[in-house]
mmCIF file of all heavy atoms in Angstrom:
data_model
loop_
_atom_site.group_PDB
_atom_site.id
_atom_site.type_symbol
_atom_site.label_atom_id
_atom_site.label_comp_id
_atom_site.label_asym_id
_atom_site.label_seq_id
_atom_site.Cartn_x
_atom_site.Cartn_y
_atom_site.Cartn_z
ATOM 1 N N GLU A 27 -33.188 -31.929 0.070
ATOM 2 C CA GLU A 27 -32.541 -32.949 0.875
ATOM 3 C C GLU A 27 -32.388 -34.195 0.013
ATOM 4 O O GLU A 27 -33.335 -34.616 -0.650
ATOM 5 C CB GLU A 27 -33.400 -33.260 2.096
ATOM 6 C CG GLU A 27 -32.772 -34.243 3.036
ATOM 7 C CD GLU A 27 -33.813 -34.873 3.938
ATOM 8 O OE1 GLU A 27 -34.902 -34.295 4.091
ATOM 9 O OE2 GLU A 27 -33.540 -35.952 4.455
ATOM 10 N N PHE A 47 -22.054 -33.333 5.540
ATOM 11 C CA PHE A 47 -21.224 -33.261 6.741
ATOM 12 C C PHE A 47 -20.937 -34.688 7.203
ATOM 13 O O PHE A 47 -21.849 -35.517 7.276
ATOM 14 C CB PHE A 47 -21.952 -32.507 7.855
ATOM 15 C CG PHE A 47 -22.233 -31.073 7.528
ATOM 16 C CD1 PHE A 47 -23.369 -30.724 6.800
ATOM 17 C CD2 PHE A 47 -21.380 -30.061 7.944
ATOM 18 C CE1 PHE A 47 -23.647 -29.404 6.492
ATOM 19 C CE2 PHE A 47 -21.651 -28.733 7.640
ATOM 20 C CZ PHE A 47 -22.784 -28.399 6.919
ATOM 21 N N GLU A 49 -19.350 -37.056 10.291
ATOM 22 C CA GLU A 49 -18.941 -37.062 11.697
ATOM 23 C C GLU A 49 -17.470 -37.467 11.814
ATOM 24 O O GLU A 49 -17.037 -38.442 11.203
ATOM 25 C CB GLU A 49 -19.799 -38.048 12.490
ATOM 26 C CG GLU A 49 -21.233 -37.610 12.662
ATOM 27 C CD GLU A 49 -22.020 -38.594 13.522
ATOM 28 O OE1 GLU A 49 -21.415 -39.224 14.409
ATOM 29 O OE2 GLU A 49 -23.226 -38.730 13.271
ATOM 30 N N TYR A 50 -16.742 -36.700 12.593
ATOM 31 C CA TYR A 50 -15.323 -36.991 12.832
ATOM 32 C C TYR A 50 -15.006 -36.862 14.305
ATOM 33 O O TYR A 50 -14.107 -36.126 14.711
ATOM 34 C CB TYR A 50 -14.437 -36.036 12.015
ATOM 35 C CG TYR A 50 -13.979 -36.642 10.727
ATOM 36 C CD1 TYR A 50 -14.799 -36.632 9.608
ATOM 37 C CD2 TYR A 50 -12.750 -37.279 10.622
ATOM 38 C CE1 TYR A 50 -14.398 -37.208 8.422
ATOM 39 C CE2 TYR A 50 -12.340 -37.857 9.434
ATOM 40 C CZ TYR A 50 -13.165 -37.817 8.339
ATOM 41 O OH TYR A 50 -12.760 -38.401 7.164
ATOM 42 N N ASP A 70 -19.457 -31.157 -3.293
ATOM 43 C CA ASP A 70 -19.100 -31.892 -4.512
ATOM 44 C C ASP A 70 -20.017 -31.478 -5.647
ATOM 45 O O ASP A 70 -21.183 -31.151 -5.421
ATOM 46 C CB ASP A 70 -19.240 -33.397 -4.280
ATOM 47 C CG ASP A 70 -17.910 -34.110 -4.397
ATOM 48 O OD1 ASP A 70 -17.268 -33.968 -5.456
ATOM 49 O OD2 ASP A 70 -17.525 -34.798 -3.435
ATOM 50 N N TRP A 127 -16.395 -14.596 3.947
ATOM 51 C CA TRP A 127 -16.218 -13.190 4.325
ATOM 52 C C TRP A 127 -17.406 -12.349 3.860
ATOM 53 O O TRP A 127 -17.908 -11.488 4.580
ATOM 54 C CB TRP A 127 -14.914 -12.652 3.725
ATOM 55 C CG TRP A 127 -14.705 -11.197 3.983
ATOM 56 C CD1 TRP A 127 -14.216 -10.618 5.115
ATOM 57 C CD2 TRP A 127 -15.014 -10.119 3.081
ATOM 58 N NE1 TRP A 127 -14.191 -9.253 4.982
ATOM 59 C CE2 TRP A 127 -14.677 -8.917 3.748
ATOM 60 C CE3 TRP A 127 -15.526 -10.049 1.787
ATOM 61 C CZ2 TRP A 127 -14.848 -7.665 3.151
ATOM 62 C CZ3 TRP A 127 -15.690 -8.806 1.202
ATOM 63 C CH2 TRP A 127 -15.354 -7.634 1.886
ATOM 64 N N GLU A 137 -11.337 -20.057 11.724
ATOM 65 C CA GLU A 137 -9.893 -20.065 11.945
ATOM 66 C C GLU A 137 -9.266 -20.845 10.799
ATOM 67 O O GLU A 137 -9.730 -21.932 10.461
ATOM 68 C CB GLU A 137 -9.552 -20.754 13.270
ATOM 69 C CG GLU A 137 -10.159 -20.113 14.490
ATOM 70 C CD GLU A 137 -9.167 -19.267 15.260
ATOM 71 O OE1 GLU A 137 -7.952 -19.400 15.006
ATOM 72 O OE2 GLU A 137 -9.601 -18.476 16.103
ATOM 73 N N ASP A 138 -8.212 -20.310 10.226
ATOM 74 C CA ASP A 138 -7.571 -20.982 9.091
ATOM 75 C C ASP A 138 -6.275 -21.651 9.515
ATOM 76 O O ASP A 138 -5.559 -21.152 10.384
ATOM 77 C CB ASP A 138 -7.264 -19.974 7.983
ATOM 78 C CG ASP A 138 -8.534 -19.428 7.352
ATOM 79 O OD1 ASP A 138 -9.498 -20.214 7.230
ATOM 80 O OD2 ASP A 138 -8.568 -18.245 7.015
ATOM 81 N N VAL A 140 -2.829 -24.328 8.012
ATOM 82 C CA VAL A 140 -2.128 -25.023 6.925
ATOM 83 C C VAL A 140 -1.332 -26.156 7.557
ATOM 84 O O VAL A 140 -0.425 -25.909 8.345
ATOM 85 C CB VAL A 140 -1.164 -24.089 6.162
ATOM 86 C CG1 VAL A 140 -0.474 -24.855 5.030
ATOM 87 C CG2 VAL A 140 -1.884 -22.870 5.637
ATOM 88 N N VAL A 142 1.308 -29.010 7.007
ATOM 89 C CA VAL A 142 2.320 -29.410 6.028
ATOM 90 C C VAL A 142 2.710 -30.854 6.310
ATOM 91 O O VAL A 142 3.300 -31.163 7.339
ATOM 92 C CB VAL A 142 3.558 -28.496 6.092
ATOM 93 C CG1 VAL A 142 4.584 -28.919 5.035
ATOM 94 C CG2 VAL A 142 3.160 -27.046 5.904
ATOM 95 N N GLU A 144 4.461 -34.189 4.683
ATOM 96 C CA GLU A 144 5.315 -34.706 3.599
ATOM 97 C C GLU A 144 5.473 -33.666 2.492
ATOM 98 O O GLU A 144 5.300 -33.953 1.302
ATOM 99 C CB GLU A 144 4.732 -36.019 3.059
ATOM 100 C CG GLU A 144 4.696 -37.114 4.115
ATOM 101 C CD GLU A 144 3.851 -38.311 3.724
ATOM 102 O OE1 GLU A 144 3.309 -38.308 2.603
ATOM 103 O OE2 GLU A 144 3.714 -39.234 4.530
ATOM 104 N N ASN A 172 -2.366 -29.706 15.164
ATOM 105 C CA ASN A 172 -1.274 -29.492 14.210
ATOM 106 C C ASN A 172 0.053 -29.108 14.860
ATOM 107 O O ASN A 172 1.102 -29.302 14.261
ATOM 108 C CB ASN A 172 -1.680 -28.381 13.237
ATOM 109 C CG ASN A 172 -2.909 -28.761 12.466
ATOM 110 O OD1 ASN A 172 -2.822 -29.500 11.499
ATOM 111 N ND2 ASN A 172 -4.062 -28.286 12.889
ATOM 112 N N GLU A 177 5.429 -35.069 18.130
ATOM 113 C CA GLU A 177 4.794 -36.267 18.703
ATOM 114 C C GLU A 177 4.807 -37.388 17.689
ATOM 115 O O GLU A 177 3.822 -37.688 17.049
ATOM 116 C CB GLU A 177 3.362 -35.942 19.137
ATOM 117 C CG GLU A 177 3.290 -34.939 20.269
ATOM 118 C CD GLU A 177 1.863 -34.530 20.564
ATOM 119 O OE1 GLU A 177 0.932 -35.164 20.035
ATOM 120 O OE2 GLU A 177 1.681 -33.566 21.320
ATOM 121 N N MET B 19 -17.935 -10.898 11.776
ATOM 122 C CA MET B 19 -17.207 -12.081 11.366
ATOM 123 C C MET B 19 -15.766 -11.972 11.812
ATOM 124 O O MET B 19 -15.151 -10.926 11.709
ATOM 125 C CB MET B 19 -17.254 -12.196 9.848
ATOM 126 C CG MET B 19 -16.482 -13.369 9.316
ATOM 127 S SD MET B 19 -16.390 -13.312 7.518
ATOM 128 C CE MET B 19 -15.476 -11.786 7.307
ATOM 129 N N LYS B 22 -9.204 -15.731 11.710
ATOM 130 C CA LYS B 22 -7.870 -15.791 12.272
ATOM 131 C C LYS B 22 -7.104 -16.871 11.529
ATOM 132 O O LYS B 22 -7.677 -17.783 10.959
ATOM 133 C CB LYS B 22 -7.936 -16.124 13.756
ATOM 134 C CG LYS B 22 -8.771 -15.122 14.552
ATOM 135 C CD LYS B 22 -8.984 -15.602 15.958
ATOM 136 C CE LYS B 22 -9.901 -14.648 16.712
ATOM 137 N NZ LYS B 22 -10.220 -15.140 18.063
ATOM 138 N N HIS B 24 -3.765 -19.643 11.614
ATOM 139 C CA HIS B 24 -2.684 -20.329 12.313
ATOM 140 C C HIS B 24 -1.760 -20.951 11.282
ATOM 141 O O HIS B 24 -2.211 -21.610 10.360
ATOM 142 C CB HIS B 24 -3.217 -21.456 13.195
ATOM 143 C CG HIS B 24 -4.145 -20.980 14.261
ATOM 144 N ND1 HIS B 24 -3.741 -20.166 15.275
ATOM 145 C CD2 HIS B 24 -5.467 -21.201 14.455
ATOM 146 C CE1 HIS B 24 -4.773 -19.908 16.055
ATOM 147 N NE2 HIS B 24 -5.842 -20.510 15.586
ATOM 148 N N GLN B 26 0.569 -23.910 10.600
ATOM 149 C CA GLN B 26 0.675 -25.207 11.226
ATOM 150 C C GLN B 26 1.784 -26.023 10.580
ATOM 151 O O GLN B 26 2.215 -25.746 9.472
ATOM 152 C CB GLN B 26 -0.647 -25.954 11.100
ATOM 153 C CG GLN B 26 -1.790 -25.163 11.695
ATOM 154 C CD GLN B 26 -3.122 -25.781 11.370
ATOM 155 O OE1 GLN B 26 -3.229 -26.646 10.495
ATOM 156 N NE2 GLN B 26 -4.142 -25.356 12.054
ATOM 157 N N VAL B 27 2.233 -27.014 11.270
ATOM 158 C CA VAL B 27 3.287 -27.876 10.749
ATOM 159 C C VAL B 27 2.859 -29.326 10.875
ATOM 160 O O VAL B 27 1.890 -29.645 11.546
ATOM 161 C CB VAL B 27 4.609 -27.653 11.512
ATOM 162 C CG1 VAL B 27 5.177 -26.290 11.188
ATOM 163 C CG2 VAL B 27 4.391 -27.798 13.011
ATOM 164 N N SER B 28 3.584 -30.200 10.221
ATOM 165 C CA SER B 28 3.173 -31.604 10.225
ATOM 166 C C SER B 28 3.416 -32.263 11.567
ATOM 167 O O SER B 28 4.317 -31.898 12.311
ATOM 168 C CB SER B 28 3.933 -32.357 9.143
ATOM 169 O OG SER B 28 5.305 -32.353 9.443
ATOM 170 N N SER B 30 2.358 -36.296 13.716
ATOM 171 C CA SER B 30 1.769 -37.604 13.477
ATOM 172 C C SER B 30 0.261 -37.621 13.669
ATOM 173 O O SER B 30 -0.459 -38.206 12.863
ATOM 174 C CB SER B 30 2.440 -38.632 14.388
ATOM 175 O OG SER B 30 2.312 -38.234 15.733
ATOM 176 N N PHE B 36 -5.693 -35.475 8.947
ATOM 177 C CA PHE B 36 -5.893 -34.780 7.681
ATOM 178 C C PHE B 36 -5.780 -35.728 6.485
ATOM 179 O O PHE B 36 -6.515 -35.592 5.500
ATOM 180 C CB PHE B 36 -4.916 -33.610 7.542
ATOM 181 C CG PHE B 36 -5.291 -32.443 8.404
ATOM 182 C CD1 PHE B 36 -4.489 -32.046 9.469
ATOM 183 C CD2 PHE B 36 -6.464 -31.733 8.172
ATOM 184 C CE1 PHE B 36 -4.853 -30.979 10.277
ATOM 185 C CE2 PHE B 36 -6.831 -30.662 8.975
ATOM 186 C CZ PHE B 36 -6.024 -30.287 10.027
ATOM 187 N N LYS B 37 -4.883 -36.683 6.571
ATOM 188 C CA LYS B 37 -4.792 -37.675 5.490
ATOM 189 C C LYS B 37 -6.082 -38.474 5.387
ATOM 190 O O LYS B 37 -6.567 -38.760 4.292
ATOM 191 C CB LYS B 37 -3.618 -38.626 5.740
ATOM 192 C CG LYS B 37 -2.259 -38.055 5.408
ATOM 193 C CD LYS B 37 -1.196 -39.102 5.687
ATOM 194 C CE LYS B 37 0.182 -38.607 5.377
ATOM 195 N NZ LYS B 37 1.220 -39.601 5.724
ATOM 196 N N ASP B 42 -11.052 -39.939 2.646
ATOM 197 C CA ASP B 42 -12.516 -40.098 2.656
ATOM 198 C C ASP B 42 -13.161 -39.207 1.594
ATOM 199 O O ASP B 42 -14.058 -39.616 0.856
ATOM 200 C CB ASP B 42 -13.085 -39.738 4.039
ATOM 201 C CG ASP B 42 -12.708 -40.760 5.088
ATOM 202 O OD1 ASP B 42 -12.189 -41.832 4.734
ATOM 203 O OD2 ASP B 42 -12.929 -40.476 6.281
ATOM 204 N N HIS B 47 -15.959 -38.620 -3.382
ATOM 205 C CA HIS B 47 -16.006 -37.896 -4.658
ATOM 206 C C HIS B 47 -16.036 -38.879 -5.839
ATOM 207 O O HIS B 47 -16.845 -38.726 -6.765
ATOM 208 C CB HIS B 47 -14.799 -36.966 -4.769
ATOM 209 C CG HIS B 47 -14.656 -36.308 -6.107
ATOM 210 N ND1 HIS B 47 -15.465 -35.270 -6.509
ATOM 211 C CD2 HIS B 47 -13.811 -36.561 -7.141
ATOM 212 C CE1 HIS B 47 -15.117 -34.910 -7.738
ATOM 213 N NE2 HIS B 47 -14.131 -35.668 -8.141
ATOM 214 N N LYS B 64 -20.177 -41.871 8.591
ATOM 215 C CA LYS B 64 -21.284 -41.350 9.398
ATOM 216 C C LYS B 64 -21.667 -39.972 8.869
ATOM 217 O O LYS B 64 -21.036 -38.967 9.199
ATOM 218 C CB LYS B 64 -20.867 -41.252 10.869
ATOM 219 C CG LYS B 64 -20.655 -42.599 11.529
ATOM 220 C CD LYS B 64 -20.325 -42.415 12.999
ATOM 221 C CE LYS B 64 -20.153 -43.757 13.692
ATOM 222 N NZ LYS B 64 -19.757 -43.598 15.119
ATOM 223 N N ALA B 66 -24.051 -36.705 8.597
ATOM 224 C CA ALA B 66 -25.058 -35.986 9.376
ATOM 225 C C ALA B 66 -26.325 -35.889 8.536
ATOM 226 O O ALA B 66 -26.262 -35.715 7.316
ATOM 227 C CB ALA B 66 -24.551 -34.594 9.721
ATOM 228 N N VAL B 69 -31.890 -32.951 7.824
ATOM 229 C CA VAL B 69 -33.155 -32.645 8.493
ATOM 230 C C VAL B 69 -32.932 -32.504 9.994
ATOM 231 O O VAL B 69 -33.503 -31.634 10.644
ATOM 232 C CB VAL B 69 -34.200 -33.739 8.200
ATOM 233 C CG1 VAL B 69 -35.452 -33.509 9.023
ATOM 234 C CG2 VAL B 69 -34.535 -33.744 6.717
#
Side-chain angles (χ1 to χ4, degrees):
Chain A
E27 184 200 340
F47 296 85
E49 290 183 31
Y50 263 83
D70 244 304
W127 176 81
E137 300 258 345
D138 293 324
V140 181
V142 181
E144 297 167 2
N172 299 280
E177 295 174 11
Chain B
M19 178 188 63
K22 302 171 184 175
H24 299 295
Q26 303 170 346
V27 291
S28 64
S30 57
F36 285 114
K37 282 181 180 177
D42 290 350
H47 173 75
K64 292 183 178 177
V69 173

